[in-house]
Amino acid sequence: MNRITLIGGGLSGSLMAVYLAKRGFEVNVYERRPDMRNNRISAGRSINLALSVRGLRALSKVGLDEEILKQAIPMYGRTMHPVEGDLAYQPYGKEDQAIYSVSRGLLNIRLLELADEYPNIHLHFEHRCIDVNLDSATAVFVDEQGTEHTVTGDRIIGTDGAFAATRGRLQVTDRFNYSQSYLEHGYKELLIPPAEQGGFRMHKESLHIWPRGHYMMIALPNPAGDFTCTLFFPFEGEESFASLQTEEQVEKFFKKRFPDAVPMMPSLLEDYFTNPTSSLVTVKCYPWVREDKLALLGDAAHAIVPFFGQGMNCAFEDCVILDECVERHGNDWGKVFAEYQELRKVNADAIADLAVQNFVEMRDSVGNEAFLKQKEVEHELCDLYPESYLSQYEMVTFTNMPYSEALSMGPVNQRILNRIIQNKIDLKDESRIKAIIAEEKAALNGR
Amino acid sequence: MNRITLIGGGLSGSLMAVYLAKRGFEVNVYERRPDMRNNRISAGRSINLALSVRGLRALSKVGLDEEILKQAIPMYGRTMHPVEGDLAYQPYGKEDQAIYSVSRGLLNIRLLELADEYPNIHLHFEHRCIDVNLDSATAVFVDEQGTEHTVTGDRIIGTDGAFAATRGRLQVTDRFNYSQSYLEHGYKELLIPPAEQGGFRMHKESLHIWPRGHYMMIALPNPAGDFTCTLFFPFEGEESFASLQTEEQVEKFFKKRFPDAVPMMPSLLEDYFTNPTSSLVTVKCYPWVREDKLALLGDAAHAIVPFFGQGMNCAFEDCVILDECVERHGNDWGKVFAEYQELRKVNADAIADLAVQNFVEMRDSVGNEAFLKQKEVEHELCDLYPESYLSQYEMVTFTNMPYSEALSMGPVNQRILNRIIQNKIDLKDESRIKAIIAEEKAALNGR
């Protein structure tokens, strides 16, 4: 009665396995891909992620936070690269607050190693889920040899990502709400390698952005001294993946639009034509759970676009909340799953919307002077009145406040900033500032 | 080069086949179900539909409009049945304007008969589509004997309904936007048979509504003297399908909430427990077309809820617009499909939203006195100023104006009515009324 089948051994699957094992459950994890511990080579250059407070809290529950931070690079702010002129810099939060660039591969490997230390966790790689029976909590897998395995447990947790087989099975049941919504932009990873003498070619402890209006490039530092760049770019149109077909076109475009980056990208043309162009999807669905038999978690329940750096952090928070529900309701899994869904659905929807909003901010607003000025005012406000005012970015990134609250505070903060800037109020005028903040927060609660 | 495969031989599939045949194309229609012409019995009691101006225009293009109207019952307005007290009546439009209750089965049979008169239309029943190749416009079908048939044409039009196989195939391509969104209400069909001496038990030329706040029952007249009732009711909750499990519960509930209907429903209990409970879904997707190879049409592209009576009318309008695109672009199907999608997507989205909005109006607002008073004012306004003011219902039902315009005119009309009612303006004060209408319309265009 205590056997849990986890479908998907990625970041959230392996973390959730450890949480469940610590509570004494018998956990079987089935992963479609080969064991990435035997294939470390690819990990070094794999995409990196921005770990922040929510993810760190989740890792701290299994004692991994400090170890992972040692292999991470703190990014204390954003460095904006205009086409011409000086770099601009925006701190993300208070002086010691940072988001952390970590390698997805290294983090996943460390979580799998930890999972393997538990005798009640059984890892099965190269097992692709081809069917799920929702009533009996039975799953069918095909292994590399093509042999089918039917696995019956007491319940299934689907942690199989944005294109989850578990969700696909729910999707053909009646009254399952579902949406997949693609951006008109895709992305392509590129590389800024370490300097020839070693070391970083740009400021290391920063997330770099080349905002270009309707598109952008970003770069995150890796411990080896390189940066992983990602170009977020329209699929179609005048400046688009479709319009850059030849080496000449790519080179001309990059030299014109990213002139300071090109000299740091010796393998630009090779990377551009070798690396895939991937699409960006938001997936929402409901319900996430089926009685006490199945629950979706992480990207399987709510795939989001990467512009707030919260995909992994949100999935890890799912694990924390589900674990807390198990703590409250013990083996009453009908209650566990129902409360987990109740607590998480609204917040997953909120971070999905915030992530889409932040794309506009990153690619466009951060290249705009009035916006940068406003961000300066906001940063000072945050410093002067940390008890009264948090920026939305801080709420999402440096607190565990529900995402839905952070979403609804966005317009409140905007009104506070508008009033301060339009009326040229001295930020040090504590009584007026605090009155404005209190009034706008009260207006939100009164609505 | 001129062979078109139509997948789905329902209402829009059979109509589209005739349009294409008239233009000389070779059309193969594949329908999953048996030929309904051999199975007329079920047609009499099958669900009826409300045919209005858009649908009639589409039928007139193949000369079927007058013949179908002869077998239809005009409904000139709504009759509201409160729990207690007198019936209320609202005309739908001007004196001679009506929507027409027709049998889906009879209409579909007539369209199939017409299609069969064309030597260049080939009907294939009991052929279920199991796969589509988007690049070669090839479709694979399984017939009743389980034999597979691979059919290659020059292009495919998917008219296979809300759960379309053709759309399913598009859905697993990259960057296909898709949503399916269910109401918390389901529906069940019930029956008011003819009176024992023959004839109708209620006013015949009306759509009957029992509005009950968060749910409702409606009834549409059939030529045989019976009414098809539909209960739109929550799946879960205090008053819901889930809470009505025994004959006693059903009888008690209907006697309490639909006291005037129960004596007219001798087979209520049998119908309630025999007829299925079905769900109500809105499906949106994009793109609808793939180059010159495939297009979705009707419910396959945009399933909507039935509360504006526009599902069939909208699908028929798709056929008209697609036919007009063929007229403009001839055999340049890349252009035909692109223009068809451009013209229809925005309007299909609009009628989907209007249909959901109208559920609230039908089940709730029409039982509300202030709302009825406002409708009276609006009706008079429509009568007095037919050139200046159209109700949203009239725009959708009695014109061929794009649905998207009707949607955006909703708030404009609401502001016009608010100003007239709040300022107690005499409806006969032509200059003031016309000024208000002009101002609010101008405000919309200025936004």
Coordinates of all heavy atoms in Angstrom, one line a residue, chain A residues 321-378:
Chain A
I321 N 5.7 21.5 -1.4 CA 4.2 21.6 -1.0 C 3.6 20.2 -0.9 O 2.9 19.9 0.0 CB 3.5 22.5 -2.0 CG1 4.0 23.9 -2.0 CG2 2.0 22.5 -1.6 CD1 3.8 24.7 -0.7
L322 N 3.9 19.4 -1.9 CA 3.3 18.0 -1.9 C 3.8 17.3 -0.7 O 3.1 16.6 0.0 CB 3.7 17.2 -3.2 CG 3.2 15.8 -3.3 CD1 1.7 15.7 -3.1 CD2 3.6 15.2 -4.7
D323 N 5.1 17.4 -0.3 CA 5.7 16.8 0.9 C 5.0 17.3 2.1 O 4.7 16.5 3.1 CB 7.2 17.1 0.9 CG 7.9 16.2 2.0 OD1 7.7 15.0 2.0 OD2 8.6 16.8 2.8
E324 N 4.7 18.6 2.2 CA 4.0 19.1 3.3 C 2.6 18.5 3.4 O 2.0 18.3 4.5 CB 3.9 20.6 3.3 CG 5.3 21.3 3.5 CD 5.3 22.8 3.3 OE1 4.3 23.4 2.9 OE2 6.4 23.4 3.5
C325 N 1.9 18.3 2.3 CA 0.6 17.7 2.3 C 0.7 16.3 2.8 O -0.2 15.8 3.6 CB 0.0 17.7 0.9 SG -0.4 19.4 0.3
V326 N 1.7 15.6 2.5 CA 1.9 14.2 3.0 C 2.1 14.3 4.5 O 1.5 13.5 5.3 CB 3.1 13.5 2.3 CG1 3.3 12.1 2.9 CG2 2.9 13.4 0.8
E327 N 2.8 15.3 4.9 CA 3.1 15.4 6.4 C 1.8 15.6 7.1 O 1.5 15.1 8.2 CB 4.0 16.6 6.6 CG 4.4 16.7 8.1 CD 5.6 17.7 8.2 OE1 5.8 18.5 7.3 OE2 6.3 17.6 9.2
R328 N 0.9 16.4 6.5 CA -0.4 16.7 7.2 C -1.4 15.6 7.1 O -2.1 15.4 8.1 CB -1.0 18.0 6.5 CG -0.6 19.3 7.1 CD -1.5 20.4 6.6 NE -1.3 20.7 5.2 CZ -0.3 21.5 4.7 NH1 0.6 22.0 5.5 NH2 -0.2 21.7 3.4
H329 N -1.4 14.9 6.0 CA -2.5 13.9 5.8 C -2.0 12.5 5.8 O -2.8 11.6 5.6 CB -3.3 14.2 4.5 CG -3.8 15.6 4.5 ND1 -4.8 16.0 5.3 CD2 -3.5 16.7 3.7 CE1 -5.1 17.3 5.1 NE2 -4.3 17.7 4.1
G330 N -0.7 12.3 6.0 CA -0.2 10.9 6.1 C -0.6 10.1 4.9 O -0.4 10.6 3.8
N331 N -1.1 8.9 5.1 CA -1.4 8.0 3.9 C -2.7 8.2 3.3 O -3.2 7.4 2.5 CB -1.2 6.6 4.4 CG -0.3 5.8 3.3 OD1 0.1 6.4 2.3 ND2 -0.2 4.5 3.6
D332 N -3.4 9.3 3.7 CA -4.7 9.6 3.0 C -4.5 10.4 1.7 O -4.6 11.6 1.7 CB -5.6 10.4 4.0 CG -7.0 10.6 3.5 OD1 -7.2 10.4 2.3 OD2 -7.9 11.0 4.3
W333 N -4.2 9.6 0.7 CA -3.7 10.3 -0.5 C -4.7 11.0 -1.3 O -4.4 11.9 -2.1 CB -3.0 9.2 -1.4 CG -1.6 8.9 -0.9 CD1 -1.3 8.0 0.1 CD2 -0.4 9.6 -1.2 NE1 0.0 8.0 0.4 CE2 0.6 9.0 -0.4 CE3 0.0 10.6 -2.1 CZ2 2.0 9.4 -0.5 CZ3 1.3 11.0 -2.1 CH2 2.3 10.4 -1.3
G334 N -6.0 10.7 -1.1 CA -7.0 11.5 -1.7 C -6.9 12.9 -1.2 O -6.9 13.9 -2.0
K335 N -6.8 13.1 0.1 CA -6.6 14.4 0.7 C -5.3 15.0 0.3 O -5.2 16.2 0.0 CB -6.7 14.3 2.2 CG -8.1 14.3 2.8 CD -8.0 14.6 4.3 CE -9.4 14.4 4.9 NZ -9.4 14.3 6.3
V336 N -4.2 14.2 0.3 CA -2.9 14.8 -0.1 C -2.9 15.4 -1.5 O -2.6 16.6 -1.7 CB -1.8 13.7 0.0 CG1 -0.5 14.1 -0.7 CG2 -1.6 13.2 1.4
F337 N -3.4 14.6 -2.4 CA -3.4 15.1 -3.8 C -4.4 16.3 -4.0 O -4.1 17.3 -4.7 CB -3.8 14.0 -4.8 CG -2.7 13.0 -5.1 CD1 -2.9 11.8 -5.7 CD2 -1.4 13.3 -4.7 CE1 -1.9 10.9 -6.0 CE2 -0.3 12.4 -5.0 CZ -0.6 11.2 -5.6
A338 N -5.5 16.2 -3.3 CA -6.5 17.3 -3.5 C -6.0 18.6 -2.9 O -6.1 19.7 -3.5 CB -7.8 17.0 -2.8
E339 N -5.3 18.6 -1.7 CA -4.8 19.8 -1.2 C -3.6 20.3 -2.0 O -3.4 21.5 -2.2 CB -4.4 19.6 0.3 CG -4.1 20.9 1.0 CD -3.6 20.7 2.4 OE1 -3.1 19.6 2.8 OE2 -3.7 21.7 3.2
Y340 N -2.7 19.4 -2.4 CA -1.6 19.8 -3.2 C -2.1 20.6 -4.5 O -1.6 21.7 -4.8 CB -0.8 18.5 -3.6 CG 0.0 18.6 -4.9 CD1 1.2 19.4 -4.9 CD2 -0.4 18.0 -6.1 CE1 1.9 19.5 -6.1 CE2 0.3 18.1 -7.3 CZ 1.5 18.9 -7.3 OH 2.2 19.0 -8.4
Q341 N -3.1 20.0 -5.1 CA -3.6 20.7 -6.3 C -4.2 22.1 -6.0 O -4.0 23.1 -6.7 CB -4.7 19.8 -7.0 CG -5.5 20.5 -8.0 CD -6.5 19.5 -8.7 OE1 -6.1 19.0 -9.8 NE2 -7.6 19.3 -8.1
E342 N -5.0 22.1 -4.9 CA -5.6 23.4 -4.5 C -4.6 24.4 -4.2 O -4.7 25.6 -4.6 CB -6.4 23.0 -3.2 CG -7.0 24.2 -2.4 CD -8.2 24.8 -3.1 OE1 -8.8 24.1 -3.9 OE2 -8.5 26.0 -2.8
L343 N -3.5 24.0 -3.5 CA -2.4 25.0 -3.2 C -1.6 25.4 -4.4 O -1.1 26.5 -4.4 CB -1.5 24.4 -2.1 CG -2.2 24.2 -0.7 CD1 -1.2 23.4 0.2 CD2 -2.5 25.6 -0.1
R344 N -1.4 24.5 -5.3 CA -0.4 24.8 -6.4 C -1.0 25.3 -7.7 O -0.3 26.1 -8.4 CB 0.4 23.6 -6.7 CG 1.3 23.2 -5.6 CD 2.2 24.3 -5.1 NE 3.3 24.6 -6.0 CZ 4.0 25.7 -6.0 NH1 3.8 26.7 -5.1 NH2 5.0 25.9 -6.9
K345 N -2.2 24.9 -8.1 CA -2.7 25.3 -9.4 C -2.7 26.8 -9.6 O -2.2 27.3 -10.6 CB -4.1 24.7 -9.6 CG -4.9 25.2 -10.8 CD -4.2 24.9 -12.1 CE -5.1 25.4 -13.3 NZ -4.3 25.4 -14.6
V346 N -3.2 27.5 -8.6 CA -3.3 29.0 -8.8 C -1.9 29.6 -8.9 O -1.7 30.6 -9.6 CB -4.2 29.6 -7.6 CG1 -3.5 29.3 -6.3 CG2 -4.4 31.1 -7.8
N347 N -1.0 29.1 -8.2 CA 0.4 29.6 -8.2 C 1.1 29.3 -9.5 O 1.9 30.1 -10.0 CB 1.1 29.2 -7.0 CG 0.6 29.9 -5.8 OD1 0.4 31.1 -5.7 ND2 0.2 29.1 -4.7
A348 N 0.9 28.1 -10.0 CA 1.5 27.7 -11.3 C 0.9 28.6 -12.4 O 1.7 29.0 -13.3 CB 1.2 26.2 -11.6
D349 N -0.4 28.8 -12.4 CA -0.9 29.8 -13.4 C -0.3 31.1 -13.3 O 0.0 31.8 -14.3 CB -2.4 29.9 -13.2 CG -3.2 28.7 -13.7 OD1 -2.6 27.8 -14.3 OD2 -4.4 28.6 -13.4
A350 N -0.1 31.6 -12.1 CA 0.5 32.9 -11.9 C 1.9 33.0 -12.4 O 2.3 34.0 -13.1 CB 0.5 33.3 -10.4
I351 N 2.8 32.0 -12.1 CA 4.2 32.2 -12.6 C 4.2 32.0 -14.1 O 5.1 32.6 -14.7 CB 5.1 31.2 -11.8 CG1 6.6 31.5 -12.2 CG2 4.8 29.7 -12.1 CD1 7.0 32.9 -11.7
A352 N 3.3 31.2 -14.7 CA 3.2 31.1 -16.1 C 3.0 32.5 -16.7 O 3.6 32.9 -17.7 CB 2.1 30.1 -16.5
D353 N 2.1 33.2 -16.2 CA 1.7 34.6 -16.7 C 2.9 35.5 -16.4 O 3.3 36.4 -17.3 CB 0.4 35.1 -16.1 CG -0.8 34.2 -16.5 OD1 -0.6 33.4 -17.4 OD2 -1.8 34.3 -15.9
L354 N 3.5 35.5 -15.2 CA 4.6 36.3 -14.9 C 5.8 36.1 -15.9 O 6.5 37.0 -16.3 CB 5.1 36.1 -13.5 CG 4.2 36.7 -12.4 CD1 4.4 36.1 -11.0 CD2 4.4 38.2 -12.3
A355 N 6.0 34.8 -16.2 CA 7.1 34.5 -17.1 C 7.0 35.1 -18.5 O 7.9 35.6 -19.1 CB 7.3 33.0 -17.1
V356 N 5.7 35.1 -19.0 CA 5.5 35.7 -20.3 C 5.7 37.2 -20.2 O 6.3 37.8 -21.1 CB 4.1 35.3 -20.8 CG1 3.7 36.1 -22.0 CG2 4.0 33.8 -21.1
Q357 N 5.1 37.8 -19.1 CA 5.3 39.2 -18.9 C 6.8 39.6 -18.9 O 7.2 40.7 -19.4 CB 4.7 39.7 -17.6 CG 3.2 39.8 -17.6 CD 2.6 40.1 -16.2 OE1 3.3 40.6 -15.3 NE2 1.3 39.7 -16.0
N358 N 7.6 38.8 -18.2 CA 9.0 39.2 -18.0 C 9.8 39.2 -19.3 O 10.8 39.8 -19.4 CB 9.7 38.3 -17.0 CG 10.6 39.0 -16.1 OD1 10.4 40.1 -15.7 ND2 11.8 38.4 -15.9
F359 N 9.3 38.4 -20.3 CA 10.0 38.4 -21.6 C 9.9 39.8 -22.2 O 10.9 40.3 -22.7 CB 9.3 37.4 -22.5 CG 9.9 37.2 -23.9 CD1 11.3 37.4 -24.0 CD2 9.2 36.8 -25.0 CE1 11.9 37.2 -25.3 CE2 9.8 36.6 -26.2 CZ 11.1 36.8 -26.4
V360 N 8.8 40.5 -22.1 CA 8.7 41.8 -22.6 C 9.6 42.7 -21.9 O 10.3 43.6 -22.5 CB 7.2 42.3 -22.5 CG1 7.1 43.7 -23.0 CG2 6.3 41.4 -23.2
E361 N 9.7 42.6 -20.6 CA 10.6 43.4 -19.8 C 12.0 43.2 -20.2 O 12.8 44.2 -20.5 CB 10.4 43.1 -18.3 CG 11.4 43.9 -17.4 CD 11.1 43.9 -15.9 OE1 9.9 43.9 -15.6 OE2 12.1 44.0 -15.1
M362 N 12.4 42.0 -20.4 CA 13.8 41.7 -20.6 C 14.3 42.1 -22.0 O 15.4 42.6 -22.2 CB 14.1 40.2 -20.5 CG 14.1 39.7 -19.0 SD 14.3 38.0 -18.9 CE 16.1 37.8 -19.1
R363 N 13.4 41.8 -23.0 CA 13.9 42.1 -24.4 C 13.7 43.5 -24.8 O 14.3 44.0 -25.7 CB 13.1 41.1 -25.4 CG 11.7 41.5 -25.6 CD 11.0 40.5 -26.6 NE 9.8 41.2 -27.1 CZ 8.6 40.7 -27.0 NH1 8.4 39.5 -26.4 NH2 7.6 41.3 -27.5
D364 N 12.8 44.2 -24.1 CA 12.4 45.5 -24.6 C 12.6 46.6 -23.5 O 13.4 47.5 -23.6 CB 10.9 45.5 -25.0 CG 10.5 46.7 -25.9 OD1 11.4 47.5 -26.1 OD2 9.4 46.7 -26.4
S365 N 11.9 46.5 -22.4 CA 11.9 47.6 -21.4 C 13.3 47.9 -20.8 O 13.6 49.1 -20.7 CB 11.0 47.2 -20.2 OG 9.7 46.8 -20.7
V366 N 14.1 46.9 -20.6 CA 15.4 47.1 -20.0 C 16.3 47.9 -21.0 O 17.4 48.4 -20.6 CB 16.1 45.8 -19.6 CG1 15.3 45.1 -18.5 CG2 16.5 44.9 -20.7
G367 N 15.9 48.1 -22.2 CA 16.6 49.0 -23.1 C 16.1 50.4 -23.2 O 16.5 51.2 -24.0
N368 N 15.2 50.7 -22.3 CA 14.4 51.9 -22.3 C 14.7 52.8 -21.1 O 14.7 52.3 -20.0 CB 12.9 51.5 -22.3 CG 11.9 52.6 -22.0 OD1 12.1 53.4 -21.2 ND2 10.8 52.6 -22.8
E369 N 15.1 54.1 -21.4 CA 15.6 54.9 -20.3 C 14.6 55.2 -19.2 O 15.0 55.1 -18.0 CB 16.1 56.2 -20.9 CG 17.5 56.5 -20.5 CD 18.1 57.7 -21.3 OE1 18.7 57.4 -22.4 OE2 17.9 58.8 -20.8
A370 N 13.4 55.5 -19.5 CA 12.4 55.8 -18.5 C 12.2 54.6 -17.6 O 12.1 54.7 -16.4 CB 11.0 56.1 -19.1
F371 N 12.3 53.4 -18.2 CA 12.1 52.1 -17.4 C 13.3 52.0 -16.5 O 13.1 51.6 -15.3 CB 12.0 50.9 -18.4 CG 11.9 49.6 -17.7 CD1 10.6 49.2 -17.2 CD2 13.0 48.8 -17.4 CE1 10.5 48.0 -16.5 CE2 12.9 47.6 -16.8 CZ 11.7 47.2 -16.3
L372 N 14.5 52.2 -17.0 CA 15.7 52.1 -16.2 C 15.6 53.0 -15.0 O 16.0 52.7 -13.9 CB 17.0 52.3 -17.0 CG 17.2 51.1 -18.0 CD1 18.5 51.5 -18.8 CD2 17.4 49.8 -17.3
K373 N 15.2 54.3 -15.3 CA 15.0 55.3 -14.2 C 14.1 54.8 -13.1 O 14.3 54.9 -11.9 CB 14.5 56.6 -14.9 CG 14.1 57.7 -13.9 CD 15.3 58.3 -13.2 CE 14.8 59.2 -12.1 NZ 15.8 59.4 -11.0
Q374 N 12.9 54.2 -13.6 CA 12.0 53.7 -12.7 C 12.5 52.6 -11.9 O 12.3 52.5 -10.7 CB 10.7 53.2 -13.5 CG 9.7 52.6 -12.6 CD 8.5 52.0 -13.4 OE1 7.9 52.8 -14.2 NE2 8.3 50.8 -13.3
K375 N 13.3 51.7 -12.5 CA 14.0 50.6 -11.8 C 14.9 51.1 -10.7 O 15.1 50.6 -9.6 CB 14.7 49.7 -12.7 CG 13.8 48.7 -13.5 CD 13.5 47.5 -12.6 CE 12.3 46.8 -13.2 NZ 11.9 45.6 -12.4
E376 N 15.6 52.3 -11.0 CA 16.5 52.9 -10.0 C 15.7 53.3 -8.8 O 16.1 53.1 -7.7 CB 17.2 54.1 -10.6 CG 18.5 53.7 -11.3 CD 19.2 54.9 -11.9 OE1 19.1 56.0 -11.4 OE2 19.7 54.7 -13.1
V377 N 14.6 54.0 -9.1 CA 13.7 54.5 -8.0 C 13.3 53.3 -7.2 O 13.3 53.3 -5.9 CB 12.5 55.3 -8.5 CG1 11.5 55.6 -7.4 CG2 13.0 56.6 -9.2
E378 N 12.8 52.2 -7.9 CA 12.3 51.1 -7.2 C 13.4 50.4 -6.3 O 13.2 50.0 -5.2 CB 11.8 50.0 -8.2 CG 11.3 48.8 -7.5 CD 10.4 47.9 -8.4 OE1 11.0 47.5 -9.4 OE2 9.3 47.6 -8.0

